[in-house]
Amino acid sequence: MQNNTEENNMFSVGDTVRKVVGDYHPTGTIVASFVTLDGNRRYVMEFDVVPGMLHIFSGNQLERCYAS
């Protein structure tokens, strides 16, 4: 089942996001969203710095970027 932290971090295709955990913090755009077989939501982010590079993240690894 999906945990509450992930439920609070819902993103849509087209959202600009930044990875906020771990050693690197790339930005990119959500290009897909899906639910795993065990019910967890995952997001596919296309990187800004390396266009075309895709990575799958959980919602608690990302934060929405807002235009300044």
Side-chain angles (χ1 to χ4, degrees), residues 6 17 19 23-25 27-28 32 43 46 48 53 63 66-67:
E6 288 186 22
V17 295
K19 180 179 174 270
D23 293 335
Y24 66 105
H25 302 104
T27 59
Y43 301 95
E46 183 170 342
D48 289 335
M53 182 174 168
E63 73 178 8
Y66 296 98

Side-chain angles (χ1 to χ4, degrees), residues 12-15 17 28-34 41-47 53-58 62:
S12 299
V13 171
D15 285 350
V17 295
T29 302
I30 299 296
V31 296
S33 172
F34 62 93
R41 170 120 348 240
R42 296 293 182 258
Y43 301 95
V44 180
M45 183 184 87
E46 183 170 342
F47 283 55
M53 182 174 168
L54 303 173
H55 196 100
I56 299 170
F57 295 104
S58 62
L62 302 170

